[in-house]
Amino acid sequence: HALTRALIVLCLLSSAIHAETVSCPTSFGDTFICECGGTADCTMNCNGGVRVCTDTMLTCPTGYDCTVNCDSNAACSGATIVCATGTNCLVNCVAGNPNVCSSLSISTNNAYSFQCTGDCPAAPAPYVSQPTSQTTAAPSEPTAQSTTTTSTTPPTTAAPIAPEGFFQVAVTSPFGADTGNAWAMAAGYDTQTDTVFLLRGAGKLWTFDSSSGIQQQPDIALTDGLDIYGRGQYYTQIGNTLWLIERGGTSFVTFDVSTRVHTEPGTTFPSIVRQYACMASKQTETGDQYLFITGGYDFGYLATSQIYSITAGNWLSSVPNMLSNRGQHACIVHEDILYQFGGWNSNNLVSIELLDVSGDLSDIGTRTRSWFSGGSLSWSNQGGRRAIAYGGSIYIAGGFSPYSTAIDVIDAASQTISVFQGGSLAYGTDGAASVLAGNIWYMFFGLNVDPITNKYQYMQWGTSNPTTSSTPASTDVPTKVPTKVP
């Protein structure tokens, strides 16, 4: 018995010695990723200051118990806890502190424990992977399990006129140990060199082309405190310039895809949006360029619309608000209509909103333009979708809770919406780096409970406009594009 007691004591001492404690940021903005080392049971502490882990991704690696403690004012507001497969997670929220765990999300396929004292928020629902509702799987290249080749050349045979869904390509992870960079990257495209640029974190940069595959490049030297990351579709490209919302949601970062030079214009947003807003752009026939920032989060999801004139260098006033508060959504300008798709405002959103942005927008505050409903998407999730326009149609895919593989398509001429019948995503993904490169739609990496680090997917059109043979879903989408206000 004495020997047994001694062994128990030694085991307990060994466990205590090897347990890990991580003190996450001491103030808001110090960092936006906090993670355990993955070598022992771990405790992450978000305490001792206001908003210490606000908007932070807290990562618990596979195979160990993980405890996250949130016990100060807004400590874990808007945070995401990534509880890897095979990990036991316990989340402690000490209420009595305003917004201590408001809009907290937990990404896991496991059962997890959520404890709260005092006036507590509801336990957040995990983002649980669910099987696709599609009856036919997308054709795919060899999966990551069967190969680790770094060759990423798409098929050399001619693509079909109508795409057949997304193909999957396995790659060797370009992220090393920093797998969090796979999620919520931004993407731009240089037409002259046929090169895709992927940006993330504190100025990290990767390139992709069909001959060299994915390669990390020298980092972009961002000003201290800036970061490239967003849960909505937070980037847009006009010409050679990729515009991004920096992670704090207060200003722009730009990147020129032809010169590989970045700038920080120093333009401050009228309203802070954090990492939850969406940004789209347009250029008029006379060359005027505009950026549209919608929604976001600032201790509550926003309905704001902010329009910046790149040409004039100023913000437009009295821009109408959206019908719904939303964040983590997708957006795009197509044929002078600004679209908003889905998102999250403490509820899953499937709604679509539209705003006429035709012509000169400098006097938008004095004109009778307002947002109106454009119907509903075919599936519900919390956000992380991406949208592109090609051949007179808009395609919307991706997102989480659930990780659906369905693709919605809107015919811009008739304004009908349907589930794309040409195929689906090869795998569900949240926050993928989405970019249209010529006639190929790429979705790089992303998140599906765990970061997706070893594969990307793409869909390719032929030489004609894509078609959809689907029967339009029963929605209240307008039957035609709204009459433009003079």
XYZ file of all heavy atoms in Angstrom, residues 429-470:
327
model
N -15.526 24.347 -45.825
C -14.439 25.185 -45.322
C -14.975 26.524 -44.848
O -15.876 27.107 -45.457
C -13.356 25.390 -46.399
O -12.335 26.246 -45.892
C -13.935 26.030 -47.655
N -14.436 26.998 -43.748
C -14.766 28.307 -43.179
C -13.573 29.227 -43.362
O -12.434 28.846 -43.078
C -15.083 28.126 -41.687
C -15.036 29.434 -40.907
O -15.322 30.489 -41.496
O -14.737 29.389 -39.701
N -13.827 30.447 -43.840
C -12.769 31.438 -43.934
C -11.672 31.087 -44.915
O -10.498 31.400 -44.690
N -12.018 30.428 -46.030
C -11.018 30.106 -47.039
C -10.567 31.374 -47.758
O -11.301 32.358 -47.842
C -11.584 29.111 -48.052
N -9.345 31.347 -48.275
C -8.847 32.442 -49.106
C -9.414 32.248 -50.502
O -8.991 31.382 -51.253
C -7.326 32.440 -49.131
N -10.395 33.063 -50.842
C -11.166 32.895 -52.072
C -10.730 33.932 -53.100
O -10.628 35.124 -52.790
C -12.661 33.060 -51.761
O -13.423 33.177 -52.941
N -10.493 33.484 -54.334
C -10.090 34.419 -55.391
C -10.479 33.837 -56.746
O -10.383 32.636 -56.972
C -8.571 34.704 -55.323
C -7.757 33.444 -55.591
C -8.177 35.831 -56.267
N -10.934 34.707 -57.643
C -11.215 34.327 -59.019
C -9.997 34.700 -59.861
O -9.656 35.875 -59.984
C -12.461 35.046 -59.536
C -12.899 34.680 -60.954
C -13.354 33.226 -61.024
C -14.009 35.611 -61.430
N -9.336 33.700 -60.414
C -8.142 33.906 -61.241
C -8.487 33.503 -62.669
O -8.449 32.327 -63.021
C -6.980 33.074 -60.704
N -8.859 34.477 -63.479
C -9.315 34.170 -64.828
C -10.624 33.420 -64.776
O -11.636 33.939 -64.312
N -10.620 32.179 -65.245
C -11.840 31.357 -65.229
C -11.767 30.259 -64.161
O -12.475 29.249 -64.250
C -12.072 30.727 -66.596
C -10.972 29.749 -66.982
O -9.839 29.874 -66.518
N -11.280 28.801 -67.850
N -10.917 30.440 -63.154
C -10.779 29.452 -62.077
C -11.081 30.116 -60.738
O -10.513 31.154 -60.403
C -9.360 28.842 -62.038
C -8.995 28.225 -63.393
C -9.269 27.786 -60.944
C -7.577 27.697 -63.454
N -11.988 29.507 -59.976
C -12.293 29.970 -58.617
C -11.520 29.095 -57.645
O -11.770 27.890 -57.534
C -13.798 29.865 -58.357
C -14.226 30.354 -56.999
C -13.491 31.048 -56.084
C -15.526 30.175 -56.412
N -14.229 31.328 -54.959
C -15.482 30.796 -55.134
C -16.695 29.561 -56.820
C -16.591 30.810 -54.278
C -17.788 29.582 -55.974
C -17.737 30.202 -54.721
N -10.567 29.717 -56.946
C -9.769 29.006 -55.955
C -10.311 29.269 -54.556
O -10.711 30.387 -54.229
C -8.312 29.478 -55.986
C -7.530 29.027 -57.200
C -7.265 29.916 -58.244
C -7.029 27.733 -57.285
C -6.523 29.519 -59.349
C -6.295 27.322 -58.398
C -6.050 28.220 -59.420
O -5.322 27.828 -60.513
N -10.283 28.231 -53.715
C -10.568 28.339 -52.281
C -9.391 27.684 -51.552
O -9.276 26.448 -51.520
C -11.875 27.638 -51.928
C -13.108 28.200 -52.620
S -13.886 29.552 -51.724
C -14.956 28.647 -50.624
N -8.504 28.510 -50.990
C -7.302 28.001 -50.360
C -7.510 27.804 -48.851
O -7.941 28.720 -48.144
C -6.135 28.952 -50.576
C -5.629 28.991 -51.988
C -6.079 29.955 -52.875
C -4.705 28.055 -52.431
C -5.606 30.006 -54.172
C -4.225 28.089 -53.741
C -4.682 29.066 -54.609
N -7.187 26.598 -48.386
C -7.105 26.275 -46.960
C -8.405 26.617 -46.224
O -9.473 26.311 -46.710
C -5.879 26.966 -46.353
C -4.617 26.679 -47.109
C -3.929 27.676 -47.786
C -4.132 25.380 -47.184
C -2.771 27.390 -48.501
C -2.971 25.076 -47.891
C -2.291 26.095 -48.557
N -8.337 27.226 -45.043
C -9.526 27.530 -44.253
C -9.557 26.714 -42.978
O -8.525 26.270 -42.452
N -10.764 26.496 -42.482
C -10.969 25.804 -41.211
C -12.145 24.846 -41.353
O -13.171 25.193 -41.927
C -11.263 26.815 -40.104
C -11.363 26.284 -38.666
C -9.976 25.989 -38.104
C -12.055 27.315 -37.766
N -11.986 23.630 -40.866
C -13.090 22.693 -40.706
C -12.869 21.980 -39.385
O -12.292 20.897 -39.336
C -13.165 21.702 -41.865
C -14.428 20.868 -41.839
O -14.856 20.412 -40.793
N -15.038 20.657 -42.998
N -13.272 22.647 -38.302
C -12.958 22.293 -36.923
C -11.478 22.529 -36.653
O -11.106 23.316 -35.790
C -13.359 20.852 -36.554
C -12.989 20.561 -35.109
C -14.854 20.654 -36.769
N -10.596 21.863 -37.404
C -9.164 22.104 -37.318
C -8.725 22.883 -38.561
O -9.363 22.798 -39.622
C -8.400 20.786 -37.236
C -8.790 19.969 -36.014
O -9.002 20.587 -34.954
O -8.884 18.731 -36.125
N -7.610 23.623 -38.482
C -7.115 24.326 -39.673
C -6.839 23.361 -40.820
O -6.295 22.266 -40.614
C -5.820 24.989 -39.171
C -6.019 25.155 -37.706
C -6.810 23.948 -37.277
N -7.231 23.761 -42.031
C -6.970 22.969 -43.237
C -5.638 23.455 -43.805
O -5.560 24.553 -44.362
C -8.095 23.140 -44.263
C -9.432 22.685 -43.668
C -7.778 22.366 -45.543
C -10.635 23.065 -44.505
N -4.607 22.658 -43.662
C -3.261 23.119 -44.017
C -2.655 22.393 -45.203
O -1.610 22.809 -45.704
C -2.310 22.931 -42.818
O -2.236 21.529 -42.501
C -2.803 23.708 -41.601
N -3.273 21.314 -45.654
C -2.609 20.455 -46.636
C -3.413 20.246 -47.911
O -3.185 19.278 -48.629
C -2.277 19.102 -46.012
C -3.518 18.379 -45.496
O -4.621 18.915 -45.565
N -3.339 17.176 -44.977
N -4.350 21.142 -48.204
C -5.098 20.994 -49.446
C -5.817 22.305 -49.777
O -6.066 23.134 -48.917
C -6.108 19.857 -49.357
C -7.118 19.986 -48.223
C -7.987 18.743 -48.107
C -8.910 18.814 -46.886
N -9.728 17.594 -46.749
N -6.092 22.472 -51.049
C -6.948 23.566 -51.504
C -7.898 22.996 -52.549
O -7.795 21.826 -52.949
C -6.121 24.726 -52.069
C -5.428 24.432 -53.388
C -6.059 24.673 -54.605
C -4.138 23.925 -53.414
C -5.434 24.411 -55.808
C -3.490 23.654 -54.616
C -4.148 23.897 -55.808
O -3.529 23.629 -56.996
N -8.847 23.797 -53.020
C -9.807 23.323 -54.011
C -10.067 24.413 -55.039
O -9.838 25.604 -54.782
C -11.109 22.881 -53.339
C -11.761 23.915 -52.448
C -12.930 23.343 -51.656
O -13.725 22.552 -52.155
N -13.040 23.760 -50.403
N -10.530 24.005 -56.198
C -10.801 24.977 -57.258
C -11.925 24.470 -58.154
O -12.183 23.269 -58.249
C -9.544 25.250 -58.100
C -9.144 24.095 -58.987
C -9.592 24.019 -60.306
C -8.339 23.071 -58.501
C -9.252 22.965 -61.117
C -7.989 21.997 -59.306
C -8.445 21.955 -60.616
O -8.118 20.890 -61.413
N -12.583 25.412 -58.840
C -13.611 25.100 -59.833
C -13.301 25.902 -61.080
O -12.989 27.100 -60.994
C -15.005 25.432 -59.297
C -16.135 25.057 -60.253
S -17.779 25.077 -59.460
C -18.089 26.845 -59.335
N -13.384 25.258 -62.238
C -12.951 25.895 -63.475
C -14.059 25.890 -64.520
O -14.741 24.886 -64.722
C -11.714 25.167 -64.025
C -11.128 25.806 -65.271
C -9.789 25.196 -65.643
O -9.368 24.202 -65.057
N -9.108 25.786 -66.599
N -14.212 27.040 -65.172
C -15.157 27.160 -66.272
C -14.427 27.041 -67.599
O -13.215 27.292 -67.696
C -15.875 28.501 -66.227
C -16.908 28.621 -65.165
C -18.212 28.250 -65.221
C -16.718 29.152 -63.838
N -18.850 28.511 -64.029
C -17.958 29.065 -63.160
C -15.629 29.691 -63.153
C -18.132 29.505 -61.866
C -15.796 30.120 -61.852
C -17.042 30.026 -61.222
N -15.197 26.698 -68.656
C -14.641 26.669 -69.991
C -14.646 28.054 -70.612
O -14.623 29.068 -69.930
N -14.740 28.104 -71.937
C -14.633 29.375 -72.632
C -15.950 30.129 -72.707
O -15.970 31.295 -73.051
C -14.123 29.150 -74.066
O -14.999 28.222 -74.731
C -12.706 28.585 -74.033
N -17.052 29.463 -72.397
C -18.347 30.128 -72.424
C -18.789 30.454 -71.008
O -18.231 29.964 -70.032
C -19.399 29.242 -73.087
O -19.059 28.989 -74.424
N -19.817 31.277 -70.905
C -20.340 31.612 -69.596
C -20.874 30.367 -68.908
O -21.449 29.494 -69.549
C -21.486 32.625 -69.708
C -20.978 33.995 -70.084
O -19.787 34.260 -69.999
N -21.885 34.855 -70.498
N -20.679 30.280 -67.578
C -21.224 29.118 -66.872
C -22.740 29.120 -66.916
O -23.374 30.161 -67.047
C -20.714 29.325 -65.443
C -20.507 30.799 -65.333
C -20.071 31.249 -66.696
N -23.311 27.934 -66.824
C -24.762 27.810 -66.827
C -25.216 27.069 -65.605
O -24.458 26.322 -64.999
C -25.240 27.065 -68.085
O -24.658 25.757 -68.081
C -24.851 27.800 -69.348
N -26.441 27.249 -65.241
C -27.031 26.494 -64.136
C -28.332 25.888 -64.632
O -29.227 26.587 -65.078
C -27.328 27.396 -62.939
O -28.146 28.484 -63.375
C -26.058 27.947 -62.327
N -28.408 24.580 -64.546
C -29.603 23.889 -65.029
C -30.593 23.624 -63.916
O -31.528 22.886 -64.089
C -29.184 22.555 -65.671
O -28.486 21.761 -64.727
N -30.339 24.241 -62.769
C -31.169 23.954 -61.614
C -32.515 24.654 -61.708
O -32.688 25.634 -62.410
C -30.452 24.411 -60.346
O -30.123 25.768 -60.461
